């Protein structure tokens, strides 16, 4: 009975914290762990997270809460893939990384390790070791790593290419 009470308390802690956000967050996984003292909730195995139109898949997701049970940070690890819709419709990104950190207060996504970020509408791809996407402003910054420069791939339409020959 004691374990059932702890489980119920952990689920309530999570639900109360996530309900405080403006958009509904749904997380499914193979396993769930919550620690009220450290204010960390862990989702393990085949994690799928949906917040509004944004989606995330990973091996593990940690959710960090403040004392008022509001989520401070989401951290996804292992085979991270995602779709992020910007405020400016219909702009959206998809991609993958080794680690993703989402900070709800500023709607900021931080992507780390072997990052591939695609903008399908403009057929652009950027790769790097660290990418920060600010959802509210639509800004993105990309950093390379040691011996790994930033790579930006895009197509250029040259309608008048034959005129200057």
């Amino acid at each position: 009975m004691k374990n059932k009470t702890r489980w119920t308390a952990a689920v309530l802690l999570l639900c109360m914290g996530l309900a405080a956000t403006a958009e509904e967050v749904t997380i499914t996984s193979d396993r769930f762990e919550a620690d009220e003292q450290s204010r960390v909730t862990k989702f393990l195995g085949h994690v799928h997270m949906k917040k509004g139109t944004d989606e995330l898949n990973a091996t593990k997701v940690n959710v960090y809460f403040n004392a008022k049970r509001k989520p401070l940070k989401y951290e996804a690890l292992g085979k991270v893939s995602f779709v992020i819709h910007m405020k400016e419709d219909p702009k959206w990104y998809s991609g993958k990384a080794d680690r993703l950190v989402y900070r709800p207060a500023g709607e900021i996504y931080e992507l780390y390790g072997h990052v591939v970020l695609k903008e399908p509408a403009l057929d652009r791809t950027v790769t790097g070791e660290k990418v920060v996407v600010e959802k509210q402003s639509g800004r993105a910054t990309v950093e390379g790593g040691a011996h790994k420069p930033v790579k930006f791939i895009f197509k250029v339409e040259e309608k008048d290419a034959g005129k200057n020959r």
Side-chain angles (χ1 to χ4, degrees):
M1 189 68 169
K2 199 172 193 179
N3 284 341
K4 186 176 181 182
T5 304
R6 284 186 186 153
W7 175 257
T8 304
V11 171
L12 286 173
L13 169 71
L14 173 71
C15 293
M16 288 172 61
L18 295 179
T21 61
E23 291 180 298
E24 181 176 274
V25 176
T26 303
I27 303 174
T28 59
S29 66
D30 294 337
R31 186 174 167 179
F32 167 84
E33 297 175 6
D35 184 340
E36 290 185 48
Q37 288 202 326
S38 67
R39 296 188 204 113
V40 177
T41 301
K42 297 177 182 180
F43 297 89
L44 308 160
H46 301 98
V47 183
H48 178 75
M49 181 173 155
K50 186 164 173 60
K51 178 185 171 288
T53 56
D54 295 349
E55 293 194 47
L56 170 89
N57 295 293
T59 304
K60 178 180 182 179
V61 172
N62 298 323
V63 183
Y64 301 86
F65 295 93
N66 67 14
K68 294 183 180 182
R69 296 186 171 120
K70 291 187 179 182
L72 295 172
K73 172 174 85 169
Y74 298 84
E75 177 184 40
L77 303 160
K79 298 182 182 178
V80 178
S81 63
F82 54 87
V83 174
I84 302 169
H85 289 82
M86 304 306 284
K87 294 287 185 192
E88 171 187 314
D89 253 358
K91 189 174 181 178
W92 60 281
Y93 296 110
S94 66
K96 60 183 182 175
D98 293 338
R99 178 175 168 240
L100 179 146
V101 175
Y102 173 66
R103 300 181 189 282
E107 289 190 285
I108 297 172
Y109 289 87
E110 300 169 3
L111 312 163
Y112 300 93
H114 303 97
V115 180
V116 176
L117 185 65
K118 297 179 181 186
E119 188 177 358
L122 299 176
D123 199 16
R124 296 192 298 197
T125 301
V126 64
T127 62
E129 287 303 301
K130 179 181 177 186
V131 175
V132 177
V133 177
E134 298 175 20
K135 190 170 177 175
Q136 291 178 355
S137 68
R139 291 180 26 193
T141 57
V142 184
E143 295 177 20
H147 309 292
K148 290 185 178 184
V150 171
K151 184 188 272 186
F152 189 61
I153 303 167
F154 60 99
K155 292 183 181 177
V156 177
E157 278 190 43
E158 297 184 19
K159 293 178 183 178
D160 299 331
K163 289 184 176 180
N164 295 333
R165 289 187 193 185

